[in-house]
Amino acid sequence: MAPTQHTVRSYDTELEQIDRHILAMGGLVEAQLRGAMEALVEGDREMAQRVIESDTRIDEHEREVDELVTRVIALRQPMAEDLRRVKTGLKVAANLERMGDLAANIAKRSLVIDTPHQVPQREALRRLGNAVYGMTTDVLNAYRDGDAALAQRVWRQDESIDEMYNAIFLAILADMIADPRVISPGTHIHFVAKNIERIGDHATNIAEMVTYMILGSLPERERPKGSSVQGAEEQS
Amino acid sequence: MNEATSHAGSVSVQHAHDVTGMPTKVHAREVTVHYGEKQALFGVSMDIPANSVTAFIGPSGCGKSTFLRCINRMNDTIDICSVGGRITIDEQDIYDPSLDVVQLRARVGMVFQKPNPFPKSIYDNIAYGPRIHGLVRSKSDLDGIVESSLKRAGLWKEVSDRLSEPATGMSGGQQQRLCIARAIAVSPEIILMDEPCSALDPISTAHIEELIDELRENFTIIIVTHNLQQAARVSQMTGFFHLGKLIEYADTGDVFQNPQHSMTEDYITGRFG
């Protein structure tokens, strides 16, 4: 995404390597999120297992990014746009790693729920999952293409994710009150909804950093928070 | 684009005062320099804050040293050189014909790229300025100035027992600190430094940088450097020059994290030309 090349070309190669690892991580996180949702909503236990096992690949990429960024800082003393780029790379990788963990946790919970077709709020969860998947894809594209406008669109989307999560929380609560047998799956599903919402938060963090990387400043106004519900306030 | 870079691409005025909280020491407006037919500086305007370190960066031939040398009228020594525009120090026009240039250079000291001690003793190097400017009445006054200047330059402990030895026997880093001590011996207000560390090893460079940071408490320091990390480390304000123009002039942290001009960006990230 750099406008022109460095006089020392091996510097560009190193920065591109960092980008490649981050985009590979991003691709894995997308697949993990999609797989975890499928495992949950369709009751695909094999898929759940695959998602749980694949998490280590994301961790490996994160370690690579860590090493490459440390090396570039030590050997190249990046400045201005380059400095913002490696700093963003480091933070984006850390956020992606957390997103992968949360997806793996969704897969693990899907294994605990015996009757996937009785997952409370199944359709609403699917919609929340799709929305967060879309944010993840968009923010990775914004990173790859240096598209600040797209990053800021993702950043603004977080509000609707919060609202969807709050609605699911209330609905699950109502389901549990109505039928105590829903309490056990309902509790897991609540954690799943929270995990998806957290993945959306990480995508929003990445959107902020991508904006900073490109423009040199964070998005302008305070990010709007979705209306909170008693007992389900934003925890971060 | 901020106001520093918006004016026809040739003028940069920024209120350095707002950044450093210090009053303006050197005020330059529309400064031009010609060497014969060739124009070396094109309308440079900037306010340099007192008790701060201001760094000038830019590729070779960009005019940064030329501008530096306008501030103590060093360019006067070049016959074909003519300076236009206006430079004031504490609101006094330094190109006023009635101004005594020798007095000006006592107020505005200079340290050069290569350490240039006189082929005299360490003591005499420091004592030279106070003697010719008549700043001392007695030997003990002079001893006091020599000692305090060497102390301020962080050199006293290393040389206090060999003040009568020739300065040329010192290491390069010590010689440069001696030249800084010589510059401050006449109690200047401003110290100009033209690539003061380019001939020094990293340890000596660190000593000089530490010294620069200490000296800004009492002096206004303007430094020209090709070492961008050095500019980033020692200065509060940074000016980027290119082809005789001041392209960007702002808080050093801003220049190195988020420069406003693409030419500055390309230069400091190593993408130039």
Side-chain angles (χ1 to χ4, degrees):
Chain A
M1 63 145 281
T4 47
Q5 299 226 310
H6 288 91
T7 307
V8 179
R9 274 175 294 171
S10 56
Y11 191 177
D12 287 319
T13 312
E14 289 174 16
L15 293 174
E16 282 159 15
Q17 259 183 314
I18 294 172
D19 280 352
R20 267 204 300 281
H21 278 289
I22 286 172
L23 293 173
M25 270 184 104
L28 287 171
V29 166
E30 283 174 327
Q32 292 287 84
L33 178 57
R34 174 145 290 191
M37 289 310 292
E38 213 174 290
L40 180 84
V41 182
E42 310 300 338
D44 185 340
R45 300 179 74 86
E46 241 173 75
M47 175 61 88
Q49 215 57 54
R50 268 210 299 281
V51 168
I52 294 164
E53 283 158 15
S54 300
D55 193 42
T56 52
R57 287 166 63 204
I58 298 179
D59 299 352
E60 281 161 20
H61 280 295
E62 196 208 1
R63 273 195 295 278
E64 282 289 332
V65 170
D66 226 81
E67 275 170 30
L68 284 167
V69 167
T70 308
R71 189 183 155 80
V72 165
I73 290 172
L75 304 186
R76 306 282 188 194
Q77 289 101 45
M79 285 190 171
E81 179 191 43
D82 297 331
L83 176 63
R84 301 201 304 270
R85 196 168 160 196
V86 297
K87 181 185 158 194
T88 300
L90 197 62
K91 295 181 98 176
V92 167
N95 274 273
L96 286 172
E97 190 273 332
R98 286 299 301 143
M99 291 161 87
D101 283 352
L102 291 164
N105 185 268
I106 294 172
K108 277 179 199 159
R109 288 184 189 277
S110 79
L111 290 172
V112 180
I113 298 168
D114 300 330
T115 48
H117 292 284
Q118 281 154 23
V119 167
Q121 302 304 318
R122 190 159 167 259
E123 279 315 306
L125 274 180
R126 197 201 294 271
R127 278 198 300 279
L128 179 64
N130 284 341
V132 168
Y133 182 86
M135 280 174 82
T136 307
T137 303
D138 283 350
V139 84
L140 288 166
N141 288 342
Y143 177 83
R144 184 194 60 203
D145 302 335
D147 186 342
L150 181 57
Q152 291 187 51
R153 275 206 299 282
V154 172
W155 182 75
R156 279 192 290 270
Q157 233 175 302
D158 192 51
E159 187 178 13
S160 63
I161 299 295
D162 289 348
E163 277 167 8
M164 284 166 90
Y165 161 73
N166 287 332
I168 290 175
F169 173 80
L170 285 181
I172 293 172
L173 206 60
D175 289 349
M176 292 195 290
I177 291 166
D179 181 358
R181 285 173 300 177
V182 181
I183 291 177
S184 176
T187 306
H188 283 294
I189 291 304
H190 171 243
F191 273 114
V192 167
K194 187 69 195 169
N195 282 350
I196 302 172
E197 186 266 338
R198 292 291 298 148
I199 293 174
D201 280 348
H202 286 292
T204 310
N205 286 348
I206 296 176
E208 264 179 28
M209 289 164 217
V210 171
T211 306
Y212 163 77
M213 171 177 83
I214 300 162
L215 303 179
S217 57
L218 292 171
E220 291 234 324
R221 64 196 164 78
E222 188 65 22
R223 180 161 62 85
K225 289 283 184 191
S227 58
S228 61
V229 187
Q230 195 179 18
E233 284 91 4
E234 189 62 30
Q235 283 162 17
S236 56
Chain B
M1 193 105 331
N2 63 22
E3 65 170 311
T5 51
S6 61
H7 200 304
S10 65
V11 181
S12 274
V13 182
Q14 195 173 53
H15 302 291
H17 164 79
D18 297 340
V19 174
T20 60
M22 293 292 171
T24 296
K25 185 72 185 176
V26 181
H27 172 88
R29 283 298 174 271
E30 293 293 331
V31 175
T32 58
V33 172
H34 286 82
Y35 293 113
E37 293 292 298
K38 191 181 178 310
Q39 189 164 2
L41 273 189
F42 297 82
V44 171
S45 298
M46 70 196 313
D47 288 345
I48 295 172
N51 297 99
S52 303
V53 181
T54 299
F56 295 166
I57 59 171
S60 296
C62 68
K64 57 191 188 299
S65 291
T66 298
F67 183 64
L68 188 79
R69 294 158 66 93
C70 289
I71 300 170
N72 69 346
R73 293 184 56 175
M74 283 286 285
N75 289 323
D76 290 16
T77 59
I78 302 167
D79 283 342
I80 57 165
C81 180
S82 64
V83 178
R86 181 178 161 85
I87 299 178
T88 63
I89 295 175
D90 290 337
E91 294 173 11
Q92 181 189 16
D93 184 350
I94 61 166
Y95 283 87
D96 185 328
S98 67
L99 182 114
D100 178 350
V101 177
V102 175
Q103 280 305 314
L104 172 72
R105 296 203 186 123
R107 288 172 66 194
V108 187
M110 190 153 187
V111 176
F112 297 87
Q113 183 169 358
K114 213 167 151 260
N116 56 350
F118 302 130
K120 290 170 173 284
S121 72
I122 293 169
Y123 185 98
D124 284 339
N125 263 275
I126 309 294
Y128 176 82
R131 277 184 182 133
I132 62 160
H133 288 291
L135 301 178
V136 286
R137 294 197 181 149
S138 66
K139 175 77 168 69
S140 68
D141 276 3
L142 194 56
D143 289 350
I145 288 180
V146 169
E147 182 175 337
S148 69
S149 302
L150 286 169
K151 277 182 175 163
R152 283 166 116 175
L155 205 53
W156 177 248
K157 280 187 190 150
E158 292 163 57
V159 302
S160 60
D161 57 349
R162 51 183 179 117
L163 293 177
S164 58
E165 288 177 22
T168 46
M170 303 164 86
S171 75
Q174 286 176 325
Q175 287 187 14
Q176 193 63 307
R177 277 183 284 152
L178 182 75
C179 292
I180 293 172
R182 187 176 64 188
I184 60 186
V186 293
S187 297
E189 298 157 33
I190 299 170
I191 303 174
L192 309 178
M193 298 186 176
D194 195 351
E195 290 273 352
C197 300
S198 62
L200 304 183
D201 70 82
I203 306 285
S204 309
T205 298
H207 283 302
I208 302 279
E209 289 179 3
E210 168 61 15
L211 177 58
I212 289 170
D213 199 47
E214 283 169 14
L215 291 176
R216 83 181 154 99
E217 196 178 319
N218 297 302
F219 307 98
T220 299
I221 295 169
I222 307 170
I223 178 171
V224 163
T225 177
H226 276 130
N227 181 333
L228 298 174
Q229 263 76 32
Q230 178 167 69
R233 284 189 301 260
V234 303
S235 72
Q236 285 75 54
M237 296 291 293
T238 296
F240 169 63
F241 288 76
H242 183 54
L243 296 174
K245 292 172 183 168
L246 179 61
I247 304 296
E248 185 161 350
Y249 176 50
D251 171 80
T252 296
D254 290 343
V255 169
F256 286 102
Q257 291 175 69
N258 189 17
Q260 297 302 304
H261 201 290
S262 61
M263 267 200 270
T264 319
E265 176 95 42
D266 286 349
Y267 181 67
I268 64 173
T269 58
R271 288 186 171 92
F272 224 61

